[in-house]
Amino acid sequence: MTTKRTEERIGPEEQAEARIKAPKQQRSKAAKEQSSKGAGAKEHSATDRAGRKGPSGEKGKSEPREHSLIVTRGLTKRYGRITAVDGVGLEVREGDRYGLLGPNGSGKTTLVRMLLGLVFATRGEIEVLGRPVPSRVREVLPQIGAMVEGPGAYGHLSGRTNLKLFDAAGPGGGRRDRMRRVDAALERVGLAGVDRRPVRAYSLGMRQRLGLAGALLRKPRLLVLDEPTNGLDPRGIREVRDLLTELNAEGTTVLLSSHLLGEINAFCTRVGVMDRGRLVLQDDLAGLRRPTGRVLVSTPAPERAVALLDGRVETRDGTTIGVRHADAAALNSELVAAGIPVTEITVERRSLEQVVLDVTSTSSDRVDA
Amino acid sequence: MITVELAKLFRRPRTYVITGLLCALPFIVAVFLATTRVPPPPGQGGAFLSAVLSNGALYPAAAMALVMPVFLPVSVAVLAGDAVAGEATAGTLRYLLVRPVGRTRLLVAKLVSLVVFVLFAIVAVLVTAYVTGLALFGSEPSAGVALPADVTSLSGVTITPAGLALRMAGTVAYIVISMLSVAAIALFLSTVTDSGLGAAMGALAVLVTSQVLATLDAAAAVRPYLPTRYWLAWIDFFRDPVLWRDIERGAGIQLVYLGALLLAAWAAFVTRDVAN
Amino acid sequence: MGARGTVVSSQARRRWLVVLVAVVLLGSVPVLLALRPAGAGTMDPGTLRARMAGSGGQAFHGYAQSNGLLPVPALPGLSDVTSLVSGVTEMRTWYASAERWRVDVVRGAGETDLYQVGDAQVVWESAAGQLTRIVGAQPVRLPRGADLTPPVLGARLLALATEEAPGAGDRFEVLRGKRVAGIDAVGLRIVPATVGTTVAYVDVWAEPGTGLPLQVEITARGGSRPVFVTRFLEVDLSAPEDSVLTPPVPGPGVGSVVTDTSDLLAAANRLGRGWLPERLGGFERQDTPVAAAGVYGTGLARFVVARLPGGAGNRAYEQVRTFGTPAGDDAAVLPTGLLTVGAVRAGRGVYLIAGLVEPAVIERVARELS
């Protein structure tokens, strides 16, 4: 429950609050990570950004670190003349809530499929849980729960039967406690009361939940979810997010791909941005959303404020002015001391949206003459 | 995995629909024969059909001759064509593969479930045909007790009930083997396309071509290698003595086709991209 | 390469290579078996001829297939005969002795079995579910499947070719050995010298030890490939089991008749109508006089003339006229390369002429008969 509350603090609707509170836990966690991995990680993400020049893996100092669950190097997939994935150097570390962000058709799904051994790479390397994929993918798949591009189920069977069949199809897990595992998974995704209705009568949201239950059956160490909230209503999306947060707190690493910025923003600790097959950005979210060095001040008397802060005002948008200032509290007292009313004062941060817009080219579905 | 495939087979309504249709054909023929009592002219029409009017106990064999050349292979092709392609379309294939289920294992399980289906369908047809035959045509009482009936072989020799059961078992086994090539062709095509219908059509195209070539004198050189060439060889079980030559060759050819196509399916599927 | 198990395209190629090799291996097995060199067994033609002629006592059983490429249309009432020379006939044969044998002509969903039990013959027709016991001698009868097994046909052709005094001109040559039904057979070619025959040569391959003919091929004059082939696909030179040679007994589902006429021709003969001259087309009549049919000619240049009764005769005449060429007002000739068939309408009956002779001979016979 504590994690849940923490999570709520950085939900989109709490953005305003978060701006002032500047989530302590996030910051401290990010800082810890920064210090633990040191300069190497920064260099790594930097090379990712520079990935267009060559396979980033070669520069990424080869061997994966102990706690990297997924590492790819120069991963490329071509379908005929179309390059769906181009020189991707993905790195997902243990405990990450990794968000793979990108528009439809940017190669996210192909990348995820390659990680699971469903699609075979044209070039490059993949290592998942320390094993090369796909040559030894079967050793690691039992520890992975996956939902790839929508749920898949036998429409004429009930959800419970579907899960039982999928459970029985693979290795491990006795017949004896299969029923219990299935019930537990259904309970977890909020389908505990599901009856014998065939899956074809399910709503898209129910199917999505069923798919999630399938991924959770074996208590995976790594969850790979491709657009898991597709077709869910806002409440459902929230429930799924809470569930994933809970699982992550229990130690499950989550790789989530989505084309929805808000979803990544709300859940992930680390983000990779795909654009036309390339991983154009890979960094910790906290790092991306670092302060810009400006403080945003809303005041009914902007003219006076500008006059007072002469030279330090960098932007002005109606009654809101952006002031270059290191300390919001000090600025506040300065303004108050000058008798300027302040209705709102915030440390300005880079928004994920802005970051994404900066690193991506034109919209992928745009067709210009 | 095999148990899962079998569970899927027997939980699927279409399995029963297809089997029902297969059983219906000999039943309808039997009703017409029994009401009109017009037998096909000797030497024409389906095998055993003219003999059936006098002895219903032979109707299972006649029923086999009715469903064997077209109906049964079509159903096998449809099911086998859908085996992998259908899972790919429904999106379940990727979930099976990440479960993980080995791709080779999946293919073998699919084939086993197809064989079980053929067996199930044939036995269902035999049972309905036997019941229909006895009910509509009656049986000729053998000396003394009326049941079970004696049956005359194609060579005019009386077959004992035990002998008939044995020959029927041989027939069932042979037909199952005969369907292996159809299943393997459709299964192979099913691994290279996402369209179950396309795979089934492809397999049927091969069969139709084979049937046409089998009757063409100009193609006599390839005839012994056609998958359908020995399909009706199970009739030889009802000769006295049993003529094993075509049965052996037919079974051999089917196994060769099965081996080659299963290998091809394996080669095509093991490193095939599973993506829509 | 450095992909450490990620890029699998080379594996895929290797896998397809495995498939290719396996398919080639599987496919080449029958080819290799067929190409296995046959033993170079050779034998003096005289010895071989004598051995073949004396093979009548050799027991055997096997599976034989004849293939005729003669374009003979199905003649009404005679389709069983015409299909023998214009299609494939599959036969199972068991032979213990001249008085005890059985030949099954196997068709898709039925069979016609002929049993020789002493003097009597028993025919089982599966399509009709009928047993027919033929009693008494059959001076004339139509050809049937049992006449086409290699030993029967081989012995018959050999007898025809050698019935004349040596020196009549038929040539005998030794052929290269051949593998027939797994046996290294030795071959003999008969090149008839008789004028008027359509037969270029007859090739007979026989088991070297016993002289049992295993394969017979007839090649017509002007042709390079045999137009009629009969051969064993499987053969075993041991005596068949006795139970196989015992005909079925009438019972439930097995009807039974006894007759003294086995077919149309025998029936026509029994009726005793018609008259056939001693000499036709320049050939002498060969057999003892019977009313409805006569055999003319010598050696391989011989033909049969049969008088068919009204209905069947007229229909046969129409068929021959449709597919053949008219020879006068009431006659037609149908040449097929090897076999020449003619039909002549005379009075209320029809003469059907068939033989391994040139069309000119049949035309002449037709003129003489009409």
Side-chain angles (χ1 to χ4, degrees):
Chain A
M1 283 316 276
T2 45
T3 25
K4 195 169 172 181
R5 212 170 297 135
T6 320
E7 191 51 37
E8 277 168 11
R9 252 189 273 154
I10 58 163
E13 54 278 81
E14 281 87 15
Q15 279 299 320
E17 191 191 352
R19 270 188 226 155
I20 302 175
K21 281 186 183 169
K24 222 177 263 171
Q25 196 191 337
Q26 277 263 334
R27 201 189 261 165
S28 61
K29 188 177 176 187
K32 214 190 308 169
E33 273 169 11
Q34 292 281 348
S35 62
S36 76
K37 66 186 174 161
K42 270 198 177 158
E43 186 195 316
H44 193 74
S45 59
T47 49
D48 284 337
R49 238 169 291 174
R52 292 158 197 264
K53 284 170 200 152
S56 54
E58 284 159 28
K59 293 182 223 160
K61 296 284 157 9
S62 59
E63 282 312 298
R65 271 164 301 276
E66 195 63 28
H67 54 283
S68 286
L69 289 196
I70 302 175
V71 179
T72 75
R73 294 185 199 91
L75 191 60
T76 301
K77 175 65 185 180
R78 265 189 220 112
Y79 291 107
R81 297 163 86 182
I82 299 160
T83 306
V85 172
D86 189 2
V88 165
L90 186 77
E91 189 192 7
V92 178
R93 295 161 309 198
E94 178 117 55
D96 267 355
R97 293 187 229 155
Y98 192 105
L100 197 57
L101 180 63
N104 292 323
S106 60
K108 291 182 313 247
T109 300
T110 305
L111 176 58
V112 166
R113 283 173 184 258
M114 280 196 280
L115 298 179
L116 297 171
L118 292 173
V119 165
F120 299 93
T122 314
R123 256 207 328 269
E125 287 174 39
I126 309 172
E127 228 167 78
V128 175
L129 302 179
R131 297 285 197 295
V133 169
S135 60
R136 292 170 74 187
V137 73
R138 286 179 63 190
E139 296 168 29
V140 295
L141 281 176
Q143 302 174 59
I144 301 176
M147 192 157 83
V148 192
E149 210 185 347
Y154 302 104
H156 57 283
L157 300 174
S158 75
R160 187 167 270 119
T161 315
N162 261 290
L163 289 189
K164 275 193 274 181
L165 283 180
F166 280 117
D167 189 75
R175 179 192 296 261
R176 194 109 24 94
D177 50 351
R178 177 165 302 145
M179 221 33 228
R180 228 188 34 211
R181 275 199 305 271
V182 167
D183 284 339
L186 284 173
E187 164 111 49
R188 203 136 200 203
V189 298
L191 286 177
V194 79
D195 50 18
R196 300 181 44 137
R197 256 192 312 164
V199 170
R200 88 169 85 79
Y202 281 20
S203 68
L204 184 54
M206 285 173 78
R207 287 186 209 196
Q208 204 75 33
R209 283 171 194 257
L210 183 65
L212 205 54
L216 296 180
L217 264 180
R218 298 294 182 139
K219 299 215 184 321
R221 193 173 149 202
L222 170 66
L223 258 181
V224 179
L225 304 173
D226 190 16
E227 307 276 1
T229 53
N230 216 2
L232 290 177
D233 54 22
R235 179 164 296 279
I237 293 176
R238 179 60 173 276
E239 279 176 28
V240 168
R241 192 192 306 144
D242 291 348
L243 170 63
L244 294 182
T245 311
E246 218 171 285
L247 287 164
N248 182 250
E250 290 165 18
T252 308
T253 307
V254 181
L255 168 61
L256 178 134
S257 95
S258 177
H259 66 282
L260 298 174
L261 194 134
E263 204 171 301
I264 303 279
N265 204 15
F267 171 70
C268 295
T269 57
R270 193 169 153 82
V271 64
V273 179
M274 295 281 293
D275 180 42
R276 301 183 178 196
R278 296 192 174 105
L279 188 67
V280 290
L281 173 77
Q282 177 171 250
D283 207 345
D284 291 318
L285 200 57
L288 290 174
R289 294 198 306 198
R290 63 185 177 272
T292 56
R294 278 195 291 262
V295 178
L296 293 180
V297 180
S298 291
T299 166
E303 310 299 337
R304 286 174 56 204
V306 172
L308 174 76
L309 301 169
D310 176 42
R312 284 181 286 171
V313 176
E314 291 183 347
T315 60
R316 180 165 169 195
D317 179 15
T319 56
T320 305
I321 53 174
V323 186
R324 178 146 298 278
H325 202 289
D327 190 345
L331 178 63
N332 193 24
S333 7
E334 198 180 327
L335 287 167
V336 171
I340 300 168
V342 174
T343 51
E344 194 175 346
I345 183 160
T346 323
V347 174
E348 190 190 58
R349 292 178 169 277
R350 293 210 300 162
S351 74
L352 183 57
E353 184 179 4
Q354 193 54 52
V355 172
V356 169
L357 287 177
D358 285 349
V359 293
T360 54
S361 41
T362 54
S363 177
S364 64
D365 43 11
R366 222 185 126 115
V367 183
D368 289 320
Chain B
M1 189 56 211
I2 287 170
T3 22
V4 172
E5 280 303 321
L6 291 183
K8 282 190 327 211
L9 175 70
F10 286 109
R11 278 168 178 270
R12 193 135 200 196
R14 82 172 172 195
T15 307
Y16 302 98
V17 173
I18 292 176
T19 310
L21 288 174
L22 280 170
C23 294
L25 173 68
F27 180 76
I28 292 168
V29 171
V31 169
F32 274 104
L33 271 181
T35 44
T36 61
R37 294 255 152 202
V38 178
Q44 291 174 38
F48 304 109
L49 268 193
S50 41
V52 159
L53 279 181
S54 57
N55 189 348
L58 207 54
Y59 196 61
M64 284 292 98
L66 289 174
V67 299
M68 176 69 192
V70 182
F71 215 161
L72 190 60
V74 168
S75 4
V76 172
V78 167
L79 282 186
D82 197 48
V84 177
E87 299 254 15
T89 314
T92 45
L93 180 59
R94 51 179 185 261
Y95 290 102
L96 285 176
L97 294 182
V98 301
R99 173 59 192 82
V101 177
R103 296 188 179 208
T104 316
R105 243 162 76 98
L106 184 69
L107 278 181
V108 172
K110 290 283 180 195
L111 189 75
V112 170
S113 96
L114 283 169
V115 169
V116 171
F117 164 75
V118 176
L119 208 59
F120 173 74
I122 294 177
V123 170
V125 169
L126 287 183
V127 170
T128 40
Y130 188 72
V131 174
T132 324
L134 286 192
L136 293 179
F137 305 115
S139 65
E140 300 214 358
S142 57
V145 202
L147 277 174
D150 279 353
V151 162
T152 309
S153 76
L154 285 176
S155 305
V157 178
T158 301
I159 306 174
T160 59
L164 181 65
L166 216 58
R167 283 165 204 245
M168 271 309 190
T171 301
V172 170
Y174 185 77
I175 290 177
V176 169
I177 291 176
S178 297
M179 289 300 112
L180 285 177
S181 66
V182 194
I185 293 170
L187 197 58
F188 164 63
L189 293 175
S190 186
T191 60
V192 294
T193 172
D194 274 349
S195 158
L197 194 63
M201 276 305 295
L204 290 178
V206 172
L207 292 188
V208 170
T209 310
S210 167
Q211 299 270 40
V212 169
L213 290 184
T215 58
L216 187 71
D217 280 338
V222 297
R223 194 177 296 158
Y225 309 108
L226 295 174
T228 61
R229 163 65 181 83
Y230 295 105
W231 264 12
L232 290 176
W234 58 268
I235 289 174
D236 294 346
F237 277 114
F238 294 89
R239 303 189 195 279
D240 248 308
V242 173
L243 176 56
W244 289 104
R245 182 189 158 80
D246 284 3
I247 295 172
E248 286 162 2
R249 274 158 195 256
I253 288 224
Q254 295 298 320
L255 293 179
V256 167
Y257 270 97
L258 175 73
L261 285 161
L262 214 54
L263 265 180
W266 166 76
F269 187 51
V270 168
T271 45
R272 191 195 139 201
D273 290 340
V274 177
N276 314 51
Chain C
M1 305 199 305
R4 292 202 305 172
T6 296
V7 179
V8 291
S9 49
S10 63
Q11 283 179 37
R13 271 196 296 277
R14 242 190 340 262
R15 211 170 283 118
W16 276 111
L17 198 70
V18 168
V19 173
L20 197 71
V21 168
V23 169
V24 166
L25 278 181
L26 284 173
S28 62
V29 167
V31 177
L32 290 179
L33 281 181
L35 288 181
R36 205 165 32 138
T42 177
M43 206 178 271
D44 165 61
T47 322
L48 185 54
R49 228 170 83 195
R51 240 179 236 184
M52 283 182 186
S55 67
Q58 174 63 41
F60 62 88
H61 55 105
Y63 184 83
Q65 190 187 54
S66 79
N67 193 359
L69 300 174
L70 305 182
V72 180
L75 299 178
L78 296 171
S79 55
D80 285 353
V81 179
T82 53
S83 67
L84 293 180
V85 291
S86 62
V88 175
T89 309
E90 316 244 321
M91 292 154 287
R92 308 174 77 187
T93 170
W94 296 266
Y95 186 90
S97 69
E99 288 79 41
R100 199 154 165 75
W101 49 262
R102 165 183 172 187
V103 175
D104 292 4
V105 174
V106 175
R107 272 169 273 106
E111 57 187 59
T112 305
D113 306 351
L114 176 65
Y115 295 82
Q116 178 83 42
V117 188
D119 291 341
Q121 289 188 332
V122 177
V123 179
W124 160 253
E125 277 280 354
S126 72
Q130 182 92 322
L131 271 176
T132 309
R133 194 173 188 87
I134 305 164
V135 293
Q138 303 287 307
V140 286
R141 60 165 177 80
L142 293 172
R144 54 195 178 196
D147 298 330
L148 296 185
T149 62
V152 172
L153 189 68
R156 188 170 185 82
L157 291 173
L158 204 64
L160 288 181
T162 52
E163 70 180 357
E164 294 167 274
D170 287 1
R171 246 179 29 246
F172 294 88
E173 297 166 6
V174 168
L175 291 169
R176 266 187 50 197
K178 187 180 191 129
R179 189 179 299 273
V180 181
I183 295 177
D184 285 330
V186 288
L188 185 70
R189 170 167 295 180
I190 308 162
V191 186
T194 337
V195 195
T197 181
T198 49
V199 177
Y201 47 84
V202 175
D203 294 343
V204 182
W205 280 270
E207 202 274 323
T210 59
L212 184 74
L214 302 175
Q215 175 157 353
V216 179
E217 296 183 355
I218 307 175
T219 307
R221 283 199 172 142
S224 54
R225 288 174 56 206
V227 286
F228 186 86
V229 178
T230 178
R231 64 198 166 108
F232 275 115
L233 298 175
E234 277 170 14
V235 69
D236 187 337
L237 298 188
S238 63
E241 279 177 44
D242 211 41
S243 58
V244 174
L245 296 171
T246 312
V249 287
V254 179
S256 167
V257 286
V258 177
T259 177
D260 54 2
T261 53
S262 60
D263 56 41
L264 188 68
L265 194 55
N269 193 40
R270 201 64 60 172
L271 284 174
R273 275 210 294 264
W275 160 92
L276 289 168
E278 283 301 314
R279 207 179 155 76
L280 265 178
F283 289 94
E284 294 287 330
R285 185 159 162 186
Q286 291 293 313
D287 51 353
T288 49
V290 286
V295 179
Y296 296 82
T298 55
L300 288 169
R302 60 174 60 208
F303 58 90
V304 182
V305 180
R307 187 181 164 86
L308 296 181
N314 274 321
R315 286 196 299 276
Y317 173 79
E318 291 304 327
Q319 281 290 85
V320 173
R321 198 163 173 104
T322 307
F323 290 95
T325 49
D329 289 341
D330 279 322
V333 175
L334 173 64
T336 66
L338 184 65
L339 184 74
T340 310
V341 180
V344 183
R345 212 150 43 181
R348 284 189 302 158
V350 165
Y351 288 106
L352 200 61
I353 314 147
L356 305 176
V357 286
E358 286 162 358
V361 177
I362 302 284
E363 274 171 36
R364 192 171 149 198
V365 172
R367 273 199 304 277
E368 287 172 23
L369 279 171
S370 59

